[in-house]
Amino acid sequence: MRIGSGFDVHRFGPGDRVRLGGVTIPHAQGLMAHSDGDVLLHALMDALLGAAALGDIGRHFPPGDARYAGVDSRELLREVARLIAAEGLGVVNCDLTLVAESPRIGAHREAMVANIAADLGIERTHVNVKATTAEGLGALGRGEGIAAQAVVLLAEAHGR
Ligand code: MG
C-alpha cells in the first residue's frame, strides 16, 4: 500500500466562475492559474503522484508549457491515472478537503465526487470531498484564494 498527500492553493482574480472538482461554479471572482485553476484536482493529482513516487504535477505538466494553457484539469487527472496504472498501482480511495470562505460547494459535491470517481475508475463510495472555512483567519480567511488538501491510498494492482 502506498499513501500520498497533496496541497494546492490558488489566488482569486478577475472572473465570474471557478472550477472545482471538474465542476464550473458561478462566483464573483475567478481563480488565477495557467490551467483552469482547479485547486481540488491539483491537490489530488499531487497526492496520486506522491503516493507513486512520481514527483509532482509541475514536473509532468510544466506551468510554462503552452499545451496546458487553460487546460481542463480532468484531462490531466486522467493522464495521472494512466501513469499510476502503468506503475502497477490502483487507487483504493481518496479524501479531499477544500479550504475556502466561498463559494459554498454543498450543492456541487456529488458532481465533484462523480467526476473524480469516473476519472480514476473507482466507485463513488471511495471518493470523499469535504469543505471547511478558515474561520476568517489569514489570507484564506480574508477570501483572497482557495486551498485544497488531498490524501490518497494506492494498492499494488498485481501483487507487487
Ligand atoms: Mg494548482
Side-chain angles (χ1 to χ4, degrees):
M1 303 286 253
R2 308 277 204 99
I3 192 166
S5 73
F7 176 80
D8 194 26
V9 61
H10 281 267
R11 178 189 294 270
F12 278 125
D16 59 6
R17 75 200 73 167
V18 297
R19 183 96 163 156
L20 295 171
V23 178
T24 300
I25 302 171
H27 193 56
Q29 294 177 291
L31 290 173
M32 296 172 68
H34 182 67
S35 67
D36 63 1
D38 195 325
V39 65
L40 198 64
L41 296 191
H42 295 180
L44 173 58
M45 286 188 272
D46 262 352
L48 291 163
L49 291 168
L54 289 173
D56 57 36
I57 56 173
R59 177 175 132 195
H60 294 273
F61 314 112
D65 192 322
R67 283 179 296 172
Y68 305 121
V71 70
D72 181 345
S73 292
R74 289 190 66 190
E75 287 182 29
L76 305 184
L77 178 58
R78 290 191 286 268
E79 175 60 21
V80 168
R82 283 190 285 273
L83 293 170
I84 299 298
E87 293 292 311
L89 295 165
V91 180
V92 176
N93 75 304
C94 60
D95 185 19
L96 315 180
T97 305
L98 198 71
V99 185
E101 302 298 309
S102 67
R104 294 295 172 100
I105 63 156
H108 307 285
R109 187 194 315 263
E110 283 309 312
M112 294 178 186
V113 168
N115 286 343
I116 292 164
D119 291 343
L120 297 181
I122 62 177
E123 298 295 323
R124 295 184 193 192
T125 51
H126 289 59
V127 177
N128 193 64
V129 175
K130 57 193 187 296
T132 186
T133 73
E135 292 286 343
L137 294 170
L140 293 172
R142 290 190 296 273
E144 295 176 14
I146 296 181
Q149 191 174 30
V151 176
V152 306
L153 190 66
L154 304 183
E156 281 83 7
H158 307 297
R160 288 204 217 173

